[in-house]
Amino acid sequence: MSPAASSPAYRRLSVEERRAQLLDAALSLFAHRAPEEVSLDDVAEAAGVSRPLVYRYFPGGKQQLYEAALRSAADELRHCFDEPQQGPLLPRLARALDRYLAFVDQHDAGFTALLQGGSVVETSRTTAIVDSVRRAAAERILSHLEVTDPGPRLRMTVRMWITAVEAASLIWLDEDKQPPAEELRDWLVEQFAAALTVTAARDAQTAELVGRALAAADG
């Protein structure tokens, strides 16, 4: 067998494959370092390509690359709340939180930089990307509650809880990921049930929901 035949065949990456490769490299770096600490040279080195190639795919430079990486991470976070609408509500929520906290664990410093803001590359567009994750999470939770026309108190309760999940995740990272993720997950699920119960005392729609959804979970 000739040397040429024994060598693995080189395959040129498609435009989509190359772009995905660069985004994966960028996300890996942003996961462990604040965005302002990552350069295009770092991304090129991590991807095993030249800096000009990075510019060819992201002519807007670091800002464009960061926003694209952020959208990719946002898509992954949104999918954390994708859960079949079968079975009791609270176990469904627990499974979604398992995926969410796994994402937080894997992306660590990048998640902190993403939610705390203050990055030199933060813009109204990056803020909108992050906010889209919160809104998508709220919509998914309301769909699990089987509510098509939520009133302001119920919407506020769900959005407040999502904010609490984000804050707890940041504190969890700051506290060296203590308590264990499973305990944090259960605590957050209990907080969600408690928040609905408190709102139910002031809102008939939430009261009906609590009577139906949480009673089914207890059963």
Side-chain angles (χ1 to χ4, degrees):
M1 181 179 293
S2 67
S6 62
S7 301
Y10 174 78
R11 184 175 71 87
R12 182 183 298 275
L13 296 181
S14 69
V15 171
E16 293 78 11
E17 290 171 329
R18 179 66 75 187
R19 190 173 189 277
Q21 178 199 28
L22 295 175
L23 285 177
D24 285 344
L27 277 174
S28 178
L29 291 170
F30 291 137
H32 299 97
R33 290 153 61 183
E36 55 266 31
E37 296 174 0
V38 177
S39 70
L40 288 181
D41 286 330
D42 294 330
V43 175
E45 181 179 358
V49 301
S50 66
R51 179 187 175 98
L53 183 64
V54 179
Y55 264 114
R56 184 187 306 171
Y57 281 83
F58 299 97
K62 178 176 175 177
Q63 180 66 42
Q64 183 184 8
L65 177 59
Y66 176 65
E67 290 179 13
L70 191 59
R71 288 190 187 93
S72 178
D75 287 341
E76 188 174 343
L77 264 177
R78 274 191 289 268
H79 287 313
C80 289
F81 290 91
D82 290 343
E83 180 70 27
Q85 293 187 214
Q86 301 171 349
L89 169 67
L90 298 186
R92 279 186 259 159
L93 192 60
R95 289 190 292 270
L97 283 174
D98 278 337
R99 291 189 289 270
Y100 186 93
L101 292 174
F103 180 94
V104 173
D105 185 27
Q106 293 164 10
H107 292 79
D108 209 321
F111 180 84
T112 302
L114 171 64
L115 290 186
Q116 285 186 328
S119 167
V120 296
V121 292
E122 184 180 14
T123 66
S124 60
R125 291 191 300 275
T126 62
T127 300
I129 293 168
V130 176
D131 189 56
S132 72
V133 176
R134 299 180 180 125
R135 293 183 179 278
E139 290 302 317
R140 292 298 297 140
I141 291 170
L142 287 169
S143 71
H144 281 294
L145 294 171
E146 299 180 7
V147 177
T148 57
D149 187 24
R153 291 178 180 83
L154 180 56
R155 284 200 310 272
M156 186 177 294
T157 300
V158 171
R159 294 181 67 181
M160 285 171 59
W161 180 76
I162 291 168
T163 301
V165 169
E166 290 182 357
S169 299
L170 291 171
I171 296 169
W172 184 62
L173 292 177
D174 193 51
E175 293 287 340
D176 297 322
K177 300 177 182 177
Q178 291 298 321
E182 295 82 3
E183 183 178 333
L184 177 59
R185 172 204 64 203
D186 291 342
W187 186 29
L188 290 170
V189 170
E190 291 164 3
Q191 287 186 347
F192 181 71
L196 285 179
T197 301
V198 170
T199 302
R202 295 174 176 269
D203 180 55
Q205 182 185 43
T206 308
E208 190 277 333
L209 175 67
V210 168
R212 172 168 48 82
L214 298 191
D218 290 339

